[in-house]
Amino acid sequence: SDGGKTWPAIIDLEGRVRWEAQLEKEHHEILPWGDGALMYLSQTTDCPDGIGETATVVIHERETQETSWSWSLCQHYTPANGEDDWDHTNAIDPFPGGGALLLSVRNLHQLFKVDVASGAILWRLGVQGDFARTDGGVGAPFLRQHAAARIGEGRVILFDNGKEGVRE
């Protein structure tokens, strides 16, 4: 990384670099997408006044070095406040077929399901999300999560960082 730019690479098991590029503000997550593209998390300041920087999901075409799709959280969700690092989006997991994405938004303590075609947020799971707990528990099901991934129909695994002093 240098000045907000990173150089991700595809390296074979013999240590040979098969592909590399310089990407703007790539962070936390990069993964293969489709045939010859990469999907990664970036950041943008192209948000309404007062919101600050936010996560952007980017599809980067390896052959042409161009962006073929992007989605910025602040264009679809407005936070209660625009404090620095208000979202801290840290994971992407495509749903089967690539029509939707699971995003982990750590500082909101939520997972979002995003429709790729429309950009709409289909649902939110977590603090002030769209689902009620059915396990009899109270409070947040998870806090400050990382590494969220789907593990079958209707199930997600994640690392629950928790938050000191918030729950026992």
Side-chain angles (χ1 to χ4, degrees), residues 24-27 29 40-44 54-58:
E24 196 76 34
K25 295 189 176 184
E26 184 272 329
H27 73 94
E29 186 84 273
Y40 68 92
L41 284 172
S42 183
Q43 291 186 300
T44 186
T54 189
T56 300
V57 181
V58 175

Side-chain angles (χ1 to χ4, degrees), residues 93-97 113 123 131 149-157:
D93 187 28
F95 280 77
K113 182 178 183 181
W123 53 250
F131 302 95
R150 295 169 314 87
I151 55 169
E153 187 63 36
R155 297 185 323 164
V156 174
I157 189 169

Side-chain angles (χ1 to χ4, degrees), residues 77 108-112 123-132 141-142:
Y77 179 88
L108 297 180
H109 319 289
Q110 293 182 358
L111 303 179
F112 287 38
W123 53 250
R124 298 178 303 146
L125 174 65
V127 173
Q128 299 176 351
D130 298 321
F131 302 95
F142 52 84

Side-chain angles (χ1 to χ4, degrees), residues 3-83:
K5 296 181 181 180
T6 58
W7 287 268
I10 296 174
I11 301 169
D12 66 22
L13 294 176
E14 285 78 39
R16 293 181 299 246
V17 175
R18 297 300 186 169
W19 174 88
E20 65 183 337
Q22 186 175 347
L23 301 177
E24 196 76 34
K25 295 189 176 184
E26 184 272 329
H27 73 94
H28 269 93
E29 186 84 273
I30 186 167
L31 48 103
W33 178 264
D35 195 25
L38 296 171
M39 177 178 281
Y40 68 92
L41 284 172
S42 183
Q43 291 186 300
T44 186
T45 55
D46 189 21
C47 296
D49 290 341
I51 292 181
E53 212 169 52
T54 189
T56 300
V57 181
V58 175
I59 296 178
H60 177 86
E61 301 297 329
R62 288 187 356 228
E63 190 170 310
T64 64
Q65 299 296 318
E66 294 179 1
T67 296
S68 60
W69 182 85
S70 66
W71 181 92
S72 294
L73 180 57
C74 68
Q75 300 300 322
H76 302 275
Y77 179 88
T78 304
N81 61 50
E83 65 189 33

